[in-house]
Amino acid sequence: MYALIKTGGKQFKVAAGEKIKVEQIAADVGQEIVIDQVLAIGNGADLTIGTPLVAGAAVKATVVSHGKHDKVRIFKMRRRKHYQRHGGHRQTYTELQINAVSV
């Protein structure tokens, strides 16, 4: 059984036993969270699509860790104008272990 969930403005296809990295969630390491924004649930050939969410569906996950992604380098330049700007950004994430998908 798998589910399409929405968290942090992004959509993820998850199944029990998987690990995913999502946008930072305010939860402690080891804490179990429930994601109730489920867009669709599939089980083999059977697919239930919500309008926009599936009623009564939830995904239970455990927070494994928090961290930062690799640095994204930002470089701006205007040719012949002696203008250069360097910058960088590291996005924070929360790693989740998916425990169960329930309808």
Side-chain angles (χ1 to χ4, degrees):
M1 178 177 271
Y2 67 91
L4 281 167
I5 62 171
K6 184 172 87 170
T7 178
K10 298 177 179 65
Q11 297 176 5
F12 298 92
K13 180 182 176 182
V14 298
E18 290 183 351
K19 284 186 179 180
I20 60 170
K21 291 182 180 179
V22 298
E23 295 293 321
Q24 178 121 23
I25 296 174
D28 295 328
V29 174
Q31 182 178 347
E32 184 170 278
I33 61 170
V34 177
I35 301 170
D36 56 355
Q37 291 194 330
V38 179
L39 303 172
I41 289 184
N43 191 1
D46 186 31
L47 180 65
T48 305
I49 299 174
T51 55
L53 302 176
V54 178
V59 173
K60 293 183 181 176
T62 304
V63 176
V64 176
S65 66
H66 298 289
K68 288 186 176 184
H69 287 289
D70 293 335
K71 181 173 277 195
V72 176
R73 299 270 179 201
I74 300 161
F75 178 69
K76 296 181 180 181
M77 186 181 96
R78 300 285 183 257
R79 63 183 187 157
R80 298 185 305 270
K81 305 298 180 190
H82 198 66
Y83 172 82
Q84 290 184 353
R85 288 290 175 263
H86 300 272
H89 176 72
R90 292 185 67 188
Q91 186 69 29
T92 56
Y93 67 85
T94 298
E95 189 173 8
L96 299 176
Q97 172 77 37
I98 306 299
N99 297 335
V101 177
S102 60
V103 179

